[in-house]
Amino acid sequence: MDDKRTIKVSKYVSKHLRHQPERIGLVLDPHGWVEIDDLLGAAAAHGFPISRTELDHVVAANDKQRFAVDGSRIRASQGHTVPVDLALTEAEPPAYLYHGTVAAALDAIRAEGLRPMARHHVHLSPDRETATRVGARRGRPVVLAVDAGAMRAAGHVFRISANGVWLADSVPPQFLRFP
């Protein structure tokens, strides 16, 4: 499977497992899972056939590990805009986490902190390199440090997804360190 097809399949699956399952007739269970056969059948019925081999490759090769497979089911690891409960347990974060963004967003972030926007949580990275890659998707990246230790001490809850992305309901501005 070439890189172009891998990216196309990954984006298609992400879109329908995270944001628009109903667009192709999928119904996610309360925790975001769907039968793999249902996903493959729905994709084919809507003009985007995906083989099981291609799906397995996308799941295994995705550098961000966006998808989790449990037996005959698949779900997105995080980033949903549709209501799901990923049933992630509370976790003790490292002292600092990181968030990649762009300069155009800094004024709003300074005023309001990090908010989940259309998603369920704010996504935080365990290292600057990952946050840089995330921020670069929208332009020239700016990496903010999050004082996760102080947030946790103040009672904020952190969770970690299956692919190592840290999740918080929000990050108030006082816990952010700007470059």
Side-chain angles (χ1 to χ4, degrees):
M1 188 165 157
D2 68 29
D3 289 346
K4 189 174 179 180
R5 175 70 178 167
T6 299
I7 291 167
K8 195 170 185 175
V9 170
S10 180
K11 286 184 176 187
Y12 183 90
V13 173
S14 286
K15 178 180 185 174
H16 295 99
L17 293 182
R18 294 167 71 188
H19 309 298
Q20 297 179 334
E22 75 287 346
R23 186 172 171 268
I24 60 171
L26 288 177
V27 177
L28 305 180
D29 80 5
H31 301 291
W33 295 102
V34 66
E35 291 292 325
I36 291 171
D37 288 345
D38 292 348
L39 170 63
L40 298 178
H46 287 85
F48 193 85
I50 303 167
S51 72
R52 178 62 193 254
T53 301
E54 286 178 315
L55 182 64
D56 289 344
H57 173 76
V58 165
V59 169
N62 189 281
D63 63 336
K64 296 175 188 155
Q65 295 298 295
R66 290 186 188 270
F67 311 107
V69 172
D70 179 28
S72 64
R73 305 178 309 161
I74 187 170
R75 76 175 180 184
S77 294
Q78 86 279 324
H80 297 80
T81 56
V82 296
V84 295
D85 175 8
L86 297 176
L88 301 174
T89 58
E90 202 170 311
E92 189 70 34
Y96 283 89
L97 292 168
Y98 303 91
H99 183 80
T101 189
V102 291
L106 291 179
D107 287 342
I109 293 170
R110 283 183 206 283
E112 302 172 18
L114 297 173
R115 298 178 300 128
M117 310 307 278
R119 295 180 177 183
H120 297 272
H121 299 96
V122 172
H123 294 195
L124 303 169
S125 301
D127 55 70
R128 289 183 181 277
E129 296 76 25
T130 302
T132 299
R133 284 194 306 275
V134 170
R137 293 187 304 207
R138 293 178 186 85
R140 186 172 178 192
V142 175
V143 176
L144 307 178
V146 176
D147 190 343
M151 275 185 69
R152 179 78 170 153
H156 293 267
V157 173
F158 289 86
R159 291 180 169 75
I160 188 166
S161 68
N163 61 347
V165 175
W166 285 88
L167 306 171
D169 291 337
S170 65
V171 178
Q174 67 266 31
F175 297 108
L176 292 169
R177 306 293 177 262
F178 294 86

